[in-house]
Amino acid sequence: MEKHNDCEHESRCVDDHEELYRGAARPGLPIFPLDFNASSSDFRQRRKGMTKMTEAARTTVDKDQVEWFSKMAAEWWSPTGKFKPLHKFNPVRLAYIRERICAHFGRDPKAHRPLEGIRILDIGCGGGLLSEPIARMGATVIGADPSEKNIGIASTHAAETGTQVDYRAVTAEDLAAAGEMFDVVLNMEVVEHVADVDFFVNTCAGMVKPGGLMFVATINRTLKAGALAIFAAENVLRWLPRGTHQYEKLVRPEELEKPINASGMEIVHRTGVFYNVLQDRWNLSSDMDVNYMMLAVRAT
């Protein structure tokens, strides 16, 4: 049975994770018009048409997206650079991850290294903004990304901070083919950038051990998200380079539920995330219309 949101309780931990974290558009791309009335099946068909892949050549990698983020790789660790929104977003998602993992595995979230001995995959890790602070919590972290440039930046920064992270320039399917298994898979702000959402989610879920967890965070495909997360964030506020997100690649919760359930996992928690302008911080919310996170568990 799905559990209810505990937004108020979990938001209390954000300040702690801000401190922990501190330790550690493509030209001419049209944003509108957008077909906000299209059904989920319409968008799944469009994504399939765009990828034009046969089963034999099936991949999770969208080469254009990899190239797009590779071009900005040098700015991953700049809190005022192109990834500034992720730096702002990190404390709330770190707090959520820590609290949920500790609750599930019976750990003390206030301990110095509460995730000691837990093997975690940060898939689509980029420059390592999540991998490093998670590793400092004691976890054994594998950070995977198909971009060699991202992995280079992540590895260099980890070496500079003395943080132990096993960074690999590989895809989710590469790891799955190698038989890798994890206690926790972090699938954060990635699904809206892959070539095949169902295949990607199934591949990631297949690497979760019995009794393990998978976190998924992304942006909903709604009129509200299109207006705020794309048009306003990229064109008005200039929080992100124009072209960072494409409306047709955003993913609705029900489109994640299907492959997650098909993989034998169960969604046990979900929450929205919103930006509070007055506080200048992200908080958990019951509103999943724009940013949201989901947690799934595999039975033992």
Side-chain angles (χ1 to χ4, degrees), residues 23 36 39 69 87 95 98 105 116 160 162 164 173 183 185 187 194 201 250 268 270 300:
F36 292 110
S39 67
F69 284 97
H87 285 264
R98 180 172 185 161
F105 290 103
E116 196 80 54
E160 291 172 350
Q164 290 294 115
E173 52 267 38
D183 299 302
V185 171
N187 193 331
V194 302
V201 172
L250 303 184
V268 294
R270 63 187 74 200
T300 54

Side-chain angles (χ1 to χ4, degrees), residues 271-287:
T271 181
V273 191
F274 81 102
Y275 178 70
N276 187 311
V277 178
L278 297 179
Q279 295 179 336
D280 187 27
R281 65 191 291 178
W282 290 84
N283 297 303
L284 299 184
S285 167
S286 58
D287 183 357

Side-chain angles (χ1 to χ4, degrees), residues 58-70:
R58 201 172 190 188
T59 178
T60 63
V61 176
D62 183 323
K63 293 182 179 179
D64 289 340
Q65 292 283 298
V66 173
E67 181 181 355
W68 171 243
F69 284 97
S70 294

Side-chain angles (χ1 to χ4, degrees), residues 20-190:
L20 173 68
Y21 173 59
R22 291 189 191 103
R26 283 166 290 187
L29 181 68
I31 302 300
F32 290 102
L34 302 175
D35 184 1
F36 292 110
N37 296 315
S39 67
S40 296
S41 60
D42 290 336
F43 277 99
R44 281 197 295 271
Q45 290 303 317
R46 290 182 195 180
R47 280 199 287 261
K48 289 178 182 177
M50 286 188 291
T51 57
K52 297 180 181 179
M53 294 180 296
T54 65
E55 284 298 316
R58 201 172 190 188
T59 178
T60 63
V61 176
D62 183 323
K63 293 182 179 179
D64 289 340
Q65 292 283 298
V66 173
E67 181 181 355
W68 171 243
F69 284 97
S70 294
K71 288 178 180 178
M72 300 186 291
E75 298 200 41
W76 273 109
W77 285 96
S78 171
T80 58
K82 290 183 171 64
F83 295 103
K84 179 180 178 179
L86 274 182
H87 285 264
K88 287 279 189 183
F89 195 44
N90 233 21
V92 71
R93 59 181 185 169
L94 281 169
Y96 182 75
I97 291 167
R98 180 172 185 161
E99 290 297 308
R100 290 289 155 181
I101 292 178
C102 287
H104 182 74
F105 290 103
R107 303 296 183 88
D108 179 2
K110 296 180 181 179
H112 177 58
R113 292 170 64 86
L115 307 187
E116 196 80 54
I118 296 178
R119 193 166 194 255
I120 297 178
L121 169 64
D122 182 11
I123 189 69
C125 66
L129 299 189
L130 265 182
S131 296
E132 279 199 31
I134 293 293
R136 287 194 290 272
M137 293 183 201
T140 299
V141 179
I142 288 79
D145 197 285
S147 168
E148 295 274 0
K149 289 185 178 180
N150 286 345
I151 292 300
I153 292 294
S155 299
T156 298
H157 192 274
E160 291 172 350
T161 60
T163 307
Q164 290 294 115
V165 179
D166 180 2
Y167 284 117
R168 307 179 191 178
V170 295
T171 65
E173 52 267 38
D174 290 335
L175 292 169
E180 294 280 5
M181 297 295 289
F182 303 90
D183 299 302
V184 179
V185 171
L186 302 178
N187 193 331
M188 311 296 282
E189 288 75 47
V190 181

